[in-house]
Amino acid sequence: MSNNNTVRIGRIDIDAKEFNQRPDPENLPILATRNLVLFPGVTIPISLTREYTLSLARRASEERFPIGIVCQKDPNDDHPTISKGLRRLGVVGYVFQILEMPDDTYTALVHGVQRFRILGSAPSEPGELNARIQLLDEREVSNQEHYEDVMNTLTEVSEELARQAFNGDTTMVNAIRGVSSLPDRTNFIATNFPLEPTDKIQVLAKNDPEQRAIALLSLLLNEKKRVDVTQDILKQASEKMKETQRSAFLQMQMEAIKEELYGDTAEDDPAEVLAARAKELPFPAAVRAAFEKELAKLKRIGQQSPDYAVQHSYLETLCELPWGAPAETNSDINKAVEVLENDHYGLDKVKQRILEQIAVVMHNSKAKSPIICLVGPPGVGKTSLGASIAKAMGRKYERVSLGGLHDEAEIRGHRRTYIGALPGRIMKAMKAAGTTNPVLLLDEVDKIGKDYKGDPSSALLEVLDPEQNVTFHDNYIDLDYDLSNVLFIATANSSANIEGPLLDRMEVINLSGYLLEEKIEIARRHLMPKVLKANGWDDDDMPFNISDESLTYLIENYTAESGVRRLENVLGTLVRKAILAKLRNTPMALDLQPGDLRELLGLPLYNKDKYEGNDFPGVVTGLAWTQVGGEILLAEASLSPGKGERLTITGNLGDVMKESATIAMQWVKAHCAQLNIPAEAFEKFNLHIHFPEGAIPKDGPSAGITVATAIASAFTGRKVRERIARPGEISLRGRVLPLGGIKEKILAAKRAGITTIVLSAENRRDIEDIPANYTAGLTFQYVDTMTQVAAFALL
């Protein structure tokens, strides 16, 4: 606005002192324009095409009060609102006069005074627009000489465009030269040149007159390029500019592009948003230095470039990762005990070991935690136990699935030079957790594979080593990240499938299967409430009652597992059938009996492991370990007349098991005199050893004494002792060796009705370590040699 108190409109001089009312920031009337953006210090006619704008303009002219001139977003919107229909920036103006045009329309002569930003709506009458505003002040120019250089360039470019637009007419050129005030000249050019309203809003948003001039210059240069004269003018301008002017010009172009893509103001610039976020984050010094370097690179890249999205995504990932001090955790060990007891039934030794680890962490938060690996068959609660540990410690919990992983980059991340690069699963889990001390469950570490893309197990070595994970290096992040506060818990079905170096870094805790009594208790405490909730049964009453006898029948005939996952599925089936019966008004039996279960679930899916008896010589019962628990293993030995020594072994056996049968045969031949077997019997008869269920692969050394007993029974004709099982490996000299998987094999023996188990004397310590409820009803016969086995087992 000019310094004198007179505003000249055409040939009319109006005293501005008449318009001395100050705008009310809490309630400013708004006149919405369809395409016009008014700038301070400029007087311009505004067409009044709507009834409420004409009414407001008349009152403002008569009562001499200021109004807000704001351009609406959609020019076709006849009823814009403060919250949605208007742009955020406007100019306070005074209506000097209302003119009636020859076409019976009205035009208001309005003079802009000061910029403002809309904060929100204000109380208003129906049909009116009133807003709460914030007046925006102009900044002082810091470098007057540089500002004048920019204005000279702006004036030249605008005059050239004016000549192009009006075919050489100098009216607009003279008008531009007639504005002596440099800020007013910028505003005059911005108001009168045919630019897009969005572009004008970008210029109006600048608080610094120099930056406003630079932004307007950028728009005018783009306009010159559009009319195919840009190249010549840019060449002339670049020759006249100093280096500082050129840098400012390039920076102006970048800012104009960013403002066009991301809103009306510079505050929406993605790079500035990231910079503001980073200031609030507790970055380590090295990370902050790297962030600032990469942020500067982002600002140099055009937003249309594909590299911009890659760089922005990287910086955003750095901001989303947790940094700084660990979050507060639970320090009450009694609460941790309560959580573990409520969430899991049984597993006493496992929970005791976990509580010891939790106690160590509570006692010394800086202690380096060993990596716990929970090993056990499916469905015994390994994954849910990890979640309970996090809950007991008051930490965030994230699960990282590793089953089927074969690409090392899934652990360490991809290098950013690759298209579609992403951080590894460990860093993704840390980002999801949002804290530096979560509990990360590494699920199914025994299912990790490897191929030409690398070995994920080797990549995990650094993650699971407390001495190394202080400086874990993800290829995508490309910075050292501290994982020492993370409590890692791994799960596996079998430790035999885990790479040796990786297994060496973990402390293995074995979870064996559940007893029948434990499964019944788990079904009542945990599984039934869970399946009821999952199926939306909100009634207070249970859909059915199921006795211990019926649960026993259900477990033995419809599940075959060490865990309880299949049991949960079957209970879910019963609940769904109860819901269906309720909706069809055909209520299901309240007290489910075994007969009801057969009717609801069909014929039993599994046969309980059966003891084959001792009616025939050569039929022997052994015990085997599988990944889903223990099972009984039958061995049959049969003699047939034939010349020469011939041994046939069938049953889909592995090499180790075949070797055990060969050793057993050799021991029987070597001790034929003790067993009262004629030596010539081996020349007269062929021996066939078979393990039933030939479709199931079998391997391992634990069938050694089982096969030897079967061979001895077949050659001597002596039956084996009733309800006895004998797992174990023998040496060539007949020594009975200790075996593993004792607990699972005991459970299999109890299911099959076995009462006596023959074990190596070295397994006595394993039996003493097993809770009494597992061994109840069983008798253990400890032996050192195969001779003792034969003497005890053969009648």
Side-chain angles (χ1 to χ4, degrees):
M1 193 171 177
S2 58
N3 295 329
N4 54 36
N5 293 325
T6 301
V7 177
R8 181 174 297 276
I9 306 175
R11 293 177 296 176
I12 303 174
D13 291 335
I14 300 176
D15 189 357
K17 291 182 179 179
E18 296 181 15
F19 300 87
N20 56 5
Q21 295 188 38
R22 299 288 296 170
D24 181 6
E26 296 299 324
N27 196 317
L28 179 67
I30 301 298
L31 190 151
T33 65
R34 295 185 186 272
N35 288 298
L36 185 140
V37 178
L38 180 63
F39 281 72
V42 178
T43 303
I44 196 168
I46 299 178
S47 297
L48 305 174
T49 61
R50 289 172 285 201
E51 188 63 33
Y52 76 91
T53 59
L54 175 59
S55 174
L56 173 61
R58 282 175 171 169
R59 289 192 295 109
S61 175
E62 294 170 358
E63 301 175 18
R64 298 295 195 260
F65 64 81
I67 61 175
I69 311 300
V70 182
C71 183
Q72 60 192 57
K73 296 179 179 179
D74 182 4
N76 298 318
D77 188 357
D78 290 331
H79 301 284
T81 62
I82 296 294
S83 60
K84 295 183 179 179
L86 298 183
R87 302 183 187 272
R88 297 294 92 188
L89 290 178
V91 171
V92 176
Y94 293 98
V95 181
F96 286 99
Q97 190 175 356
I98 304 295
L99 303 176
E100 185 174 0
M101 309 307 291
D103 59 353
D104 295 330
T105 61
Y106 293 89
T107 297
L109 296 178
V110 181
H111 181 72
V113 178
Q114 186 177 4
R115 299 176 307 123
F116 67 84
R117 185 189 304 276
I118 293 179
L119 301 179
S121 300
S124 60
E125 296 296 329
E128 296 181 355
L129 296 175
N130 288 37
R132 294 183 296 106
I133 67 167
Q134 175 190 3
L135 295 173
L136 303 177
D137 296 327
E138 301 290 318
R139 294 180 183 172
E140 295 292 334
V141 176
S142 59
N143 189 334
Q144 186 65 28
E145 181 181 356
H146 184 264
Y147 176 44
E148 291 177 358
D149 290 338
V150 174
M151 286 303 303
N152 290 337
T153 305
L154 176 62
T155 302
E156 293 176 5
V157 173
S158 61
E159 290 177 354
E160 182 66 25
L161 279 174
R163 293 189 185 95
Q164 291 286 337
F166 298 101
N167 297 321
D169 188 354
T170 60
T171 302
M172 180 59 72
V173 174
N174 294 333
I176 294 172
R177 293 178 178 177
V179 182
S180 58
S181 169
L182 296 183
D184 285 354
R185 184 183 301 174
T186 302
N187 295 341
F188 179 82
I189 296 171
T191 303
N192 289 281
F193 269 66
L195 301 173
E196 290 293 326
T198 301
D199 296 335
K200 292 186 177 184
I201 289 294
Q202 296 171 10
V203 177
L204 186 63
K206 303 297 183 181
N207 295 327
D208 189 333
E210 180 181 352
Q211 293 300 319
R212 190 179 305 160
I214 292 175
L216 179 59
L217 177 58
S218 174
L219 295 174
L220 296 183
L221 288 174
N222 289 334
E223 184 68 14
K224 290 176 64 179
K225 184 178 181 180
R226 190 182 66 82
V227 294
D228 296 328
V229 296
T230 303
Q231 294 302 323
D232 293 337
I233 300 176
L234 282 175
K235 184 177 180 180
Q236 296 172 11
S238 63
E239 291 174 353
K240 296 178 181 179
M241 279 184 178
K242 298 179 181 179
E243 184 62 28
T244 55
Q245 290 174 313
R246 180 174 179 275
S247 298
F249 174 68
L250 294 174
Q251 184 65 30
M252 166 271 301
Q253 287 183 314
M254 292 177 62
E255 291 179 359
I257 294 172
K258 292 176 183 177
E259 291 169 4
E260 172 65 23
L261 292 176
Y262 293 97
D264 296 339
T265 62
E267 286 80 5
D268 296 323
D269 180 6
E272 298 301 328
V273 172
L274 287 173
R277 288 177 61 184
K279 289 180 180 179
E280 305 297 327
L281 295 174
F283 281 147
V287 176
R288 187 168 298 281
F291 183 91
E292 296 295 340
K293 179 180 178 182
E294 297 296 331
L295 182 64
K297 186 185 300 183
L298 176 69
K299 293 180 178 179
R300 294 194 299 269
I301 301 175
Q303 294 188 13
Q304 294 83 0
S305 171
D307 293 336
Y308 187 91
V310 175
Q311 189 74 0
H312 182 273
S313 177
Y314 170 69
L315 293 174
E316 193 171 38
T317 300
L318 287 184
C319 290
E320 291 175 350
L321 283 173
W323 305 92
E328 293 186 4
T329 58
N330 171 41
S331 58
D332 186 356
I333 190 65
N334 294 322
K335 181 180 179 181
V337 173
E338 180 182 354
V339 169
L340 290 178
E341 290 296 335
N342 290 339
D343 289 355
H344 290 83
Y345 180 79
L347 305 176
D348 294 332
K349 286 197 172 185
V350 175
K351 289 189 289 189
Q352 180 63 30
R353 174 62 188 88
I354 291 171
L355 284 173
E356 292 172 2
Q357 184 58 46
I358 293 176
V360 171
V361 174
M362 289 182 178
H363 177 69
N364 180 13
S365 59
K366 296 182 180 180
K368 294 181 179 179
S369 305
I371 312 302
I372 296 174
C373 183
L374 304 175
V375 177
V380 296
K382 300 184 297 299
T383 304
S384 60
L385 192 58
S388 296
I389 293 172
K391 181 180 176 183
M393 301 182 70
R395 296 193 182 194
K396 292 292 185 66
Y397 168 77
E398 290 295 328
R399 173 178 168 270
V400 180
S401 178
L402 301 179
L405 201 67
H406 55 80
D407 187 354
E408 181 182 342
E410 291 288 339
I411 302 296
R412 287 191 173 276
H414 305 81
R415 299 193 181 279
R416 280 185 290 145
T417 53
Y418 298 128
I419 296 175
L422 291 171
R425 297 195 182 189
I426 301 299
M427 301 309 291
K428 285 182 182 177
M430 294 299 298
K431 184 169 68 172
T435 176
T436 58
N437 62 337
V439 173
L440 293 190
L441 182 77
L442 306 179
D443 211 7
E444 308 289 0
V445 293
D446 58 330
K447 306 296 192 305
I448 296 177
K450 59 181 177 179
D451 58 12
Y452 66 94
K453 296 180 181 178
D455 183 3
S457 296
S458 299
L460 277 177
L461 295 179
E462 181 183 4
V463 176
L464 300 182
D465 191 340
E467 300 295 334
Q468 299 182 38
N469 62 16
V470 178
T471 56
F472 174 67
H473 193 88
D474 184 277
N475 291 330
Y476 180 82
I477 304 300
D478 203 23
L479 294 166
D480 288 339
Y481 191 85
D482 186 1
L483 294 176
S484 60
N485 292 316
V486 179
L487 179 60
F488 289 100
I489 299 175
T491 70
N493 294 133
S494 172
S495 59
N497 298 327
I498 303 176
E499 294 287 342
L502 183 59
L503 185 63
D504 184 60
R505 281 166 166 78
M506 301 186 291
E507 180 176 340
V508 176
I509 299 179
N510 288 297
L511 283 75
S512 55
Y514 294 108
L515 290 170
L516 175 63
E517 295 78 9
E518 289 178 326
K519 289 184 178 181
I520 293 174
E521 194 66 28
I522 291 171
R524 295 198 184 281
R525 290 192 184 188
H526 301 289
L527 300 186
M528 277 302 296
K530 183 178 178 181
V531 297
L532 289 174
K533 181 179 179 181
N535 289 281
W537 186 277
D538 297 326
D539 296 353
D540 294 334
D541 297 332
M542 292 281 289
F544 51 79
N545 297 320
I546 184 167
S547 64
D548 288 352
E549 178 186 358
S550 298
L551 263 179
T552 301
Y553 181 84
L554 179 72
I555 294 168
E556 290 180 344
N557 293 276
Y558 294 94
T559 68
E561 57 180 351
S562 292
V564 291
R565 185 169 293 150
R566 173 65 184 164
L567 176 58
E568 179 183 345
N569 294 337
V570 175
L571 291 174
T573 300
L574 293 177
V575 171
R576 289 191 293 273
K577 289 183 179 295
I579 294 174
L580 177 61
K582 178 182 177 182
L583 295 180
R584 298 179 65 183
N585 294 320
T586 55
M588 197 171 71
L590 257 184
D591 295 311
L592 295 182
Q593 302 300 323
D596 299 321
L597 295 177
R598 285 192 295 271
E599 181 179 345
L600 292 169
L601 300 175
L603 295 176
L605 301 178
Y606 305 99
N607 293 323
K608 179 182 176 182
D609 291 340
K610 293 182 179 179
Y611 170 67
E612 291 291 331
N614 62 339
D615 297 334
F616 302 97
V619 179
V620 181
T621 303
L623 297 174
W625 178 92
T626 69
Q627 288 194 354
V628 294
E631 292 183 359
I632 64 170
L633 181 68
L634 300 178
E636 300 174 343
S638 174
L639 299 179
S640 59
K643 293 184 178 180
E645 180 182 339
R646 183 177 178 184
L647 174 63
T648 303
I649 306 172
T650 58
N652 198 355
L653 308 181
D655 292 337
V656 176
M657 206 161 181
K658 291 178 180 178
E659 291 177 357
S660 293
T662 303
I663 293 173
M665 180 64 180
Q666 187 63 33
W667 181 87
V668 172
K669 289 175 64 179
H671 296 78
C672 60
Q674 299 178 15
L675 297 172
N676 294 323
I677 302 174
E680 58 272 13
F682 298 102
E683 296 292 334
K684 295 180 180 180
F685 296 98
N686 295 329
L687 177 64
H688 188 155
I689 301 175
H690 177 66
F691 290 84
E693 298 184 358
I696 301 175
K698 311 171 190 68
D699 200 7
S702 297
I705 65 174
T706 302
V707 176
T709 305
I711 295 173
S713 174
F715 274 104
T716 60
R718 298 164 60 185
K719 299 178 182 179
V720 298
R721 190 180 297 272
E722 186 178 3
R723 298 194 178 278
I724 182 174
R726 58 202 62 72
E729 179 183 0
I730 63 170
S731 67
L732 193 58
R733 295 179 289 112
R735 180 170 171 264
V736 178
L737 304 177
L739 68 154
I742 295 293
K743 193 173 181 180
E744 288 79 3
K745 293 174 180 178
I746 288 176
L747 293 178
K750 296 186 73 171
R751 288 197 300 267
I754 300 295
T755 58
T756 303
I757 299 177
V758 178
L759 291 174
S760 168
E762 297 183 36
N763 283 123
R764 185 189 298 269
R765 62 179 183 274
D766 299 307
I767 298 300
E768 293 173 351
D769 194 46
I770 295 175
N773 57 335
Y774 279 80
T775 59
L778 292 175
T779 301
F780 297 94
Q781 181 71 29
Y782 299 105
V783 295
D784 291 310
T785 64
M786 187 60 211
T787 302
Q788 295 174 320
V789 175
F792 176 76
L794 298 178
L795 297 176

